[in-house]
Amino acid sequence: MSDTHGNQPAPRGFETTAIHAGNTADPVTGAVVPPIYQVSTYKQDGVGGLRGGYEYSRSANPTRTALEENLAALEGGRRGLAFASGLAAEDCLLRTLLSPGDHVVIPNDAYGGTFRLFDKVVSRWGVEWSVADTSDPAAVRAALTPRTKAIWVETPSNPLLGITDIAAVTQVARDAGARLVVDNTFASPYLQQPLALGADVVVHSMTKYMGGHSDVVGGALVVSDTALGDDLAYHQNAMGAVAGPFDAWLVLRGIKTLAVRMDRHSENATRVADMLTLHPRVTKVLYPGLPDHPGHETAAKQMKAFGGMVSFQVEGGEEAAVEVCNRAKLFTLGESLGGVESLIEHPGRMTHASAAGSALEVPADLVRLSVGIESADDLLADLQQALGD
């Protein structure tokens, strides 16, 4: 697959790249959408004579290749790799980067699944980890050890919407000889480009904004370093948790509308955050687009807009927060995020239950919203009734 068409120049604008990179017209029929190559193996032209490099779909599949080319182009990287889930991508990355005795700095506000991977799985390999407030480069530097091989960042973070200055933490990583990994799931490549800011690896749960329709599970890694990309591809094949062809096709389809969806997500989330800020039952609103958010200036510097995720705390504690979730009608009570439909959840009992009792435990009165692309007026009305108006 190629991200150019005949003699035309390579796409430049993000929206153009999202639609065209990796999406070469089918050479047999001229179909403008890459086929779903639902196949496990490929006829070889003699022993070792591979057509286009394809021999077995765990190793490579043309539909997945199209997606991986697209991912690399969107993030401005040299290589993209697509996995069966975001955690499968993280697992492959950690097994590639780390050895027993190595150390990783992780955020004090991380996705519960990422925390579980470090706390319950990675630690069993003999890899150590410690927690730092990654919004403070000095705190990250203080958490380093002589064995630190990676610094892990989420920005915006999940679920407290913390913001990390990627360029500043890049310098901390460089000084320590460590890799900087940025989970870009909440922002998407449309709103933020971590590799351009110095990051070594970008991680995505493609289940979220990249797919965008709550109908696929997938993960991705994108890197600029060719050697690291080759190492990751080796482990991707060796471990086998690859994106299937239909899943890859669904994500490719979702990416084509990523830009317009993220614009609408951001617009709606801004209106939601503004309304919640004024609501008498809401004690705190966490949204980087708000001027009083501690990371607002950094987010404005490194993001195109502020995204579709909003968290807030309510008076009355945990039971009141749970009741708000249960009373919502248009906002669907459910885990995950990034789809066209709006979702509401209680992180402490749902997505971040695995962090209970740890340094990453989330406030019990916290509600997290994934603001969709419905009518903003309808979303505001639903939240107001859920809060008891």
Side-chain angles (χ1 to χ4, degrees):
M1 299 276 179
S2 171
D3 61 5
T4 59
H5 299 261
N7 295 320
Q8 298 178 22
R12 296 181 180 178
F14 183 93
E15 295 87 346
T16 305
T17 301
I19 292 169
H20 292 285
N23 286 280
T24 305
D26 178 58
V28 177
T29 66
V32 297
V33 175
I36 302 171
Y37 285 90
Q38 194 67 45
V39 60
S40 59
T41 193
Y42 305 81
K43 175 180 171 59
Q44 298 188 18
D45 298 323
V47 176
L50 310 183
R51 298 185 190 181
Y54 296 103
E55 58 181 335
Y56 188 64
S57 277
R58 171 172 40 78
S59 303
N61 174 281
T63 314
R64 192 172 90 229
T65 297
L67 173 59
E68 291 178 336
E69 290 184 0
N70 186 276
L71 293 168
L74 293 181
E75 287 286 4
R78 291 184 179 273
R79 187 153 197 173
L81 300 107
F83 295 83
S85 70
L87 283 170
E90 293 184 12
D91 185 47
C92 179
L93 174 62
L94 294 174
R95 290 179 188 268
T96 303
L97 291 182
L98 304 175
S99 299
D102 289 343
H103 173 261
V104 183
V105 177
I106 69 171
N108 63 350
D109 172 25
Y111 165 52
T114 298
F115 169 73
R116 182 176 58 235
L117 181 62
F118 277 99
D119 186 47
K120 304 300 184 185
V121 180
V122 176
S123 60
R124 295 178 64 186
W125 312 342
V127 170
E128 298 180 0
W129 56 272
S130 58
V131 172
D133 178 1
T134 60
S135 68
D136 180 1
V140 177
R141 195 179 298 276
L144 298 172
T145 78
R147 294 174 286 105
T148 302
K149 292 296 190 294
I151 298 171
W152 194 283
V153 164
E154 289 181 16
T155 185
S157 64
N158 182 6
L160 299 180
L161 282 302
I163 298 296
T164 295
D165 187 328
I166 297 172
V169 177
T170 291
Q171 189 58 54
V172 174
R174 294 287 178 273
D175 292 344
R179 303 273 194 180
L180 178 62
V181 179
V182 177
D183 186 331
N184 203 29
T185 297
F186 270 26
S188 87
Y190 177 63
L191 298 184
Q192 184 169 264
Q193 299 277 318
L195 296 180
L197 296 169
D200 295 290
V201 185
V202 172
V203 177
H204 281 285
S205 172
M206 298 190 300
T207 310
K208 314 306 194 291
Y209 288 109
M210 303 285 269
H213 294 78
S214 301
D215 57 7
V216 63
V217 174
L221 301 173
V222 184
V223 298
S224 293
D225 183 282
T226 301
L228 176 57
D230 290 344
D231 286 346
L232 289 168
Y234 177 86
H235 283 85
Q236 179 194 42
N237 180 50
M239 295 167 66
V242 297
F246 184 49
D247 291 342
W249 185 88
L250 283 170
V251 175
L252 267 174
R253 184 184 65 167
I255 285 172
K256 291 177 181 179
T257 60
L258 178 63
V260 292
R261 286 188 287 104
M262 293 309 298
D263 284 339
R264 182 61 174 267
H265 284 299
S266 298
E267 292 168 6
N268 281 0
T270 297
R271 289 194 59 187
V272 166
D274 288 342
M275 182 276 285
L276 291 171
T277 299
L278 299 174
H279 199 283
R281 288 199 59 203
V282 174
T283 59
K284 189 174 185 179
V285 181
L286 306 172
Y287 184 63
L290 294 173
D292 62 352
H293 187 287
H296 175 72
E297 291 186 6
T298 299
K301 177 180 66 176
Q302 68 188 22
M303 297 177 70
K304 182 182 178 70
F306 300 104
M309 299 301 298
V310 179
S311 292
F312 64 98
Q313 294 170 258
V314 296
E315 65 177 15
E318 181 175 3
E319 293 306 319
V322 170
E323 181 62 19
V324 170
C325 293
N326 288 334
R327 284 172 58 92
K329 297 177 181 178
L330 183 58
F331 278 82
T332 299
L333 178 62
E335 299 190 3
S336 197
L337 58 103
V340 294
E341 66 288 310
S342 294
L343 299 176
I344 189 170
E345 66 124 357
H346 184 266
R349 294 191 183 183
M350 296 171 69
T351 54
H352 290 70
S354 61
S358 75
L360 280 76
E361 184 170 17
V362 299
D365 60 353
L366 188 73
V367 175
R368 192 192 73 179
L369 304 176
S370 174
V371 181
I373 64 172
E374 302 98 334
S375 162
D377 290 340
D378 292 337
L379 297 176
L380 296 178
D382 189 44
L383 289 173
Q384 287 165 347
Q385 70 82 24
L387 285 162
D389 286 6

